[in-house]
Amino acid sequence: PLGDILNQLDDAAVTLVLDHSFEASGPARLRIVLETLGRSLARTGGEELQGAASAIPVRSSYAVPRPIGLLGAGRFDTTVIGSLDGEDYRVSRGEPPYRELRVFRRHRATTSEP
């Protein structure tokens, strides 16, 4: 049975969304705190999972307890690139040893007229 489940997941994509709260301290300094972890699962062709694999939830979301989110809170300098298609982009570099590139996008919600 485990082999069948794993075969169903061969062409699946898992997306993780890390939802943070943030506060700006100055024009280019941010402090972020992880609040929610979201996960979605989908087959790349769009088909639904079958058999035992269909018991895996397609979406899940978990609130991160505030004390744990604060343990990993970070402060860093960031550069605003500008607006593209109504979205603001900021770029920063992580701390050593990995120095990962972080790209933040803020989508501006639009309202539709009835």
Side-chain angles (χ1 to χ4, degrees):
L2 181 58
D4 292 337
I5 294 172
L6 294 177
N7 286 336
Q8 282 282 314
L9 298 174
D10 271 348
D11 66 343
V14 175
T15 302
L16 296 177
V17 176
L18 307 175
D19 191 11
H20 294 80
S21 64
F22 74 94
E23 58 189 50
S25 53
R29 188 119 176 112
L30 290 179
R31 177 177 183 260
I32 62 171
V33 177
L34 180 62
E35 291 186 334
T36 308
L37 172 65
R39 179 203 50 89
S40 63
L41 171 66
R43 293 183 73 182
T44 54
E47 301 89 17
E48 291 187 17
L49 295 171
Q50 302 295 318
S54 65
I56 300 171
V58 177
R59 295 192 190 298
S60 57
S61 181
Y62 305 96
V64 175
R66 182 87 176 152
I68 293 175
L70 289 171
L71 285 175
R75 293 182 198 276
F76 51 90
D77 293 325
T78 183
T79 302
V80 176
I81 293 176
S83 292
L84 299 170
D85 299 328
E87 297 179 359
D88 290 336
Y89 290 88
R90 293 178 175 260
V91 176
S92 70
R93 184 64 72 182
E95 296 296 321
Y98 303 111
R99 304 280 302 152
E100 72 277 6
L101 183 65
R102 299 173 179 157
V103 178
F104 298 90
R105 178 186 69 175
R106 181 177 67 179
H107 178 72
R108 296 180 191 274
T110 58
T111 58
S112 59
E113 299 288 325

